[in-house]
Each structure stands twice: as structure tokens, then as C-alpha cells.
Amino acid sequence: MFRTFTAIIYHMNQEFIPILEEIEKALKKALPDQTQKDWQKLCFRELESSVKSEHIQNLITPCRSLMDLGGKRWRPLLMVLCYKMAQESGLSNGLKLEDALSLTPLVEFVHTASLIHDDIEDGADTRRGKPAAHITYGLDTALNAASWLYFLASCCIDKLSAPVELKNRFYILYATELRRLHLGQAMDIYWHRNPDLFPTIDEYKAMVHCKTGTLASLATQVGITAGGATEEQAIKAGEIAAKLGEGFQILDDVQNLTTGNPGKKRGDDIVEGKKSLPVLLHIQHNPEDKEKIAKLFETARRDGIESPAVEECIHILEQKGAIMQAREQGLECIKQNSQNLANIFGTKASSKSAAQIVDLFLGMANA
């Protein structure tokens, strides 16, 4: 079920396996393969008898199919580890572990929905080594199913047995981070639709904090809030987690231009017009190449992934060391902020789960 994650994480920390298995059960319960009576009532209340299961299946199948292809599941894992870290720090007013696990759809469903939308917006053909959802199921079905999945995510809060005040905190976190996610995507789209428009590095990082960092922030804030942390502690932890998201986006940028991301072709960011950190670092140090890179982006978009412009652009970035410079920045960002997150309750409160958070991020960064 989470086979992609196995090669990256399992051999590094075997203690993650039972947690991931429980996460998978919670996700499966929140989004089963087929509609079930109790689940259907939670999602839609009572429906007219003329609504058939095959109608609902048009929502379930595109989303469930993508989740069943794997994925790292590091966001819900982070959420559970943050919950455990809060509990191990001595907080006594948190939820039960079972209830905390039931909140994992907040991050994984939003992530899955964003991938489907992202592929549509980028014109990407593949995801996790298979045709993208809009290729398999059609643009209209995929778009609608992904939008629905954003809203399905919050059903886990509705079902949660917790004080109203706490449920409201979860709703506010979820809604705020979802809005930030769409802001980040809007910034990214704006830049990649304009081949000759290059953001500053600070603008790029602000975009990443919203687009990529927001789900790390949501996972962290929900986790430690479920563990009994204060709103102030949650906000501080969320800011650190957003920076971790930045580190992983940078490494993702680097991988795209070196080995290629899993299930994708090397350099497809160039075809899609993505102004990634290696590109921005190169232009910062070599402004005379800006016009040439813009033209290569435009050619790659027009001619596709097999265009010689893709490899020519990568060669320019490699030649002056921008790709490796970006990689070093990404690794340092992850190293520093994973430790900062582990120390959120103070170094004296360091716990087993705090150490596991560091292991999780450093393991993924060095995979």
C-alpha cells in the first residue's frame, strides 16, 4: 500500500512501520474503496434513493486509485510523531492515540487532492508512474473528485469525540492552511505561465512556504494540538515545519534536474516552466543567462519533454554549480529545522518521538 515509502524510510527506522500501518487503516476507513452506509451518511447525510452507488464511485475511485499507488505518507506520520512528542513532554490534556490517528485524512487527503489539481494545472501526463487522474478518468471527473476530497478531509473533525473548542481549532487550522496552499499554487502558476518572468529567491521561498510547507505545518500543528499543546506552541511549531517543507521542495527541485522524480521524467519542471531554486540561483550569479534560459523554457514547453532544450538548460545549470548549491541549501534547511522542531518543548523535554522526527527528516533527505 505504501510501497514507494518502503525503500525510503522503512529500512532506516523500523519503528515507523506499525505507525504507518495504523495510518493506512485510518485513511482506508475515511475513504473506502466502495461506498458504505455509515460512511455515506457521514459524508452526505441522507441521500435520495435515486442516488446510486455508482454516482458516488465517480468521486471515490480517482482519489482512492492515486492513494493506492503509494506515496510517502510522511505528512500523516509527522502528525502522529508530533502528537506523541507532545504527550511525551508531559502534557496531559491531549486526545487518545486512536482519535489522533483519525485526524490523518486532514493532511493526506488534502495532499492527494492537490496532486490531482497540480497535474491538471501543469498539464502533467503521469503521477507515481501511472497516467495522471485527469488522463485516466477525464478532466471533469478528476477535477470534481479532487475538489470533493478537500472537503471530505474535514469529515474526520465532524466525527471526532472532543470538546467543541478543540474541534474549532482543528477547523481553523485546516481552513487557514488550505487557503495558504492555494495562494502558493497561484504564485507558482503565475510564474510558470510567463517564461520570461523570474521571481526573486525570497518570493520563491514565500511561495514554497505556502504551497509545500503548508501541509507540513498543518500536520505539525494538528499533531501537537491533539497532543495537548497550546495554540502558541502550535503556531511556533507550524512555522518551523513550513521551513522543513521548503527544504524538501528544494531537494525535489534538485532531483527533477538530476535523476528525475519518481514516476516523472528528468527535467519535466523545465517543460512546465517551473522557476525552481537551481534556476533562480544560477540567474542570481549569472544574470547574462536569464534571456537564454527563458527561451529554453519556452522551447521546452512548446516541444515537450524530448526537446533538446531540456537537457541544454540542465547542462547550463550544472556547469556553474547551481544544482549542487541548491541541494546543499535544502539539506542544511532540513537538518537545522528538524532539530528545531524536535526541541519545540525545550531540549530538556526531548523524547523518543522527538528523536524520531529528526530521523524521519534526515532519512528522507539523504535517501
Side-chain angles (χ1 to χ4, degrees):
M1 186 67 71
F2 28 76
R3 55 188 177 277
T4 304
F5 197 47
T6 305
I8 300 173
I9 293 297
Y10 280 13
H11 72 281
M12 295 181 183
N13 194 326
Q14 293 291 316
E15 292 176 341
F16 291 156
I17 297 177
I19 302 174
L20 285 161
E21 288 174 345
E22 291 303 313
I23 287 170
E24 213 62 34
K25 289 178 186 176
L27 296 175
K28 194 80 170 182
K29 186 176 181 180
L31 182 62
D33 293 318
Q34 304 286 332
T35 184
Q36 299 166 3
K37 188 174 181 180
D38 290 344
W39 174 87
Q40 181 175 310
K41 189 172 182 179
L42 175 66
C43 294
F44 305 105
R45 296 188 183 177
E46 293 293 342
L47 293 171
E48 292 82 352
S49 59
S50 56
V51 177
K52 307 299 184 186
S53 60
E54 55 262 35
H55 301 147
I56 300 172
Q57 208 62 37
N58 281 309
L59 296 171
I60 295 174
T61 302
C63 303
R64 188 70 252 176
S65 296
L66 179 54
M67 293 184 66
D68 286 345
L69 286 176
K72 299 172 185 176
R73 303 288 195 265
W74 69 263
R75 296 166 186 85
L77 177 57
L78 172 62
M79 198 201 89
V80 175
L81 292 177
C82 285
Y83 162 82
K84 289 175 172 283
M85 178 174 65
Q87 289 280 282
E88 290 165 7
S89 72
L91 300 178
S92 59
N93 57 337
L95 299 175
K96 295 178 181 178
L97 176 58
E98 181 182 358
D99 291 328
L101 282 163
S102 75
L103 292 170
T104 53
L106 276 181
V107 289
E108 194 61 25
F109 286 3
V110 169
H111 173 59
T112 301
S114 73
L115 295 181
I116 295 174
H117 279 176
D118 203 32
D119 288 340
I120 292 170
E121 291 161 352
D122 292 343
D125 295 332
T126 60
R127 172 65 65 178
R128 294 175 179 165
K130 299 291 184 180
H134 65 281
I135 301 295
T136 301
Y137 302 101
L139 177 61
D140 47 2
T141 297
L143 185 64
N144 188 58
S147 297
W148 168 78
L149 191 60
Y150 281 130
F151 297 107
L152 179 68
S154 64
C155 283
C156 64
I157 303 175
D158 297 335
K159 193 176 179 181
L160 186 66
S161 177
V164 171
E165 294 77 13
L166 182 57
K167 293 173 76 169
N168 283 342
R169 281 181 65 187
F170 289 136
Y171 262 113
I172 291 169
L173 286 174
Y174 156 77
T176 301
E177 297 297 343
L178 202 52
R179 292 191 293 268
R180 288 173 61 87
L181 173 68
H182 284 77
L183 170 60
Q185 184 71 344
M187 295 168 74
D188 196 22
I189 291 170
Y190 175 60
W191 296 325
H192 79 233
R193 287 179 69 89
N194 296 277
D196 58 348
L197 181 61
F198 291 83
T200 66
I201 290 176
D202 285 344
E203 287 174 329
Y204 164 85
K205 290 183 177 181
M207 178 275 289
V208 170
H209 286 181
C210 289
K211 181 179 175 179
T212 307
T214 195
L215 290 183
S217 176
L218 178 61
T220 297
Q221 291 188 74
V222 169
I224 72 166
T225 299
T230 65
E231 186 173 358
E232 183 180 355
Q233 288 170 324
I235 291 171
K236 182 179 178 182
E239 290 171 350
I240 296 170
K243 293 176 183 177
L244 280 164
E246 174 192 327
F248 280 107
Q249 183 59 60
I250 292 170
L251 294 185
D252 192 69
D253 293 346
V254 168
Q255 187 175 16
N256 186 276
L257 299 172
T258 51
T259 60
N261 304 113
K264 298 277 189 176
K265 292 184 178 180
R266 164 177 152 118
D268 70 345
D269 276 359
I270 294 170
V271 176
E272 294 169 11
K274 296 292 181 73
K275 311 299 170 49
S276 63
L277 186 62
V279 173
L280 300 179
L281 286 171
H282 180 87
I283 290 174
Q284 183 184 60
H285 298 297
N286 306 276
E288 68 278 6
D289 287 343
K290 182 176 180 179
E291 185 177 348
K292 183 176 183 179
I293 289 175
K295 288 180 178 178
L296 290 171
F297 268 56
E298 196 167 6
T299 301
R301 176 183 284 276
R302 184 186 66 237
D303 298 341
I305 192 65
E306 302 302 328
S307 171
V310 174
E311 288 301 322
E312 185 179 349
C313 190
I314 292 174
H315 177 69
I316 290 171
L317 300 176
E318 287 176 332
Q319 202 173 29
K320 298 291 180 68
I323 295 176
M324 286 302 101
Q325 186 183 350
R327 183 177 184 274
E328 289 169 6
Q329 286 192 24
L331 289 172
E332 182 57 32
C333 182
I334 290 168
K335 180 180 179 181
Q336 178 181 334
N337 287 291
S338 61
Q339 193 61 61
N340 289 344
L341 183 56
N343 293 339
I344 195 70
F345 296 108
T347 53
K348 291 183 179 179
S350 185
S351 64
K352 176 183 177 181
S353 296
Q356 287 179 327
I357 288 171
V358 176
D359 286 347
L360 169 65
F361 286 117
L362 295 186
M364 288 194 295
N366 293 308

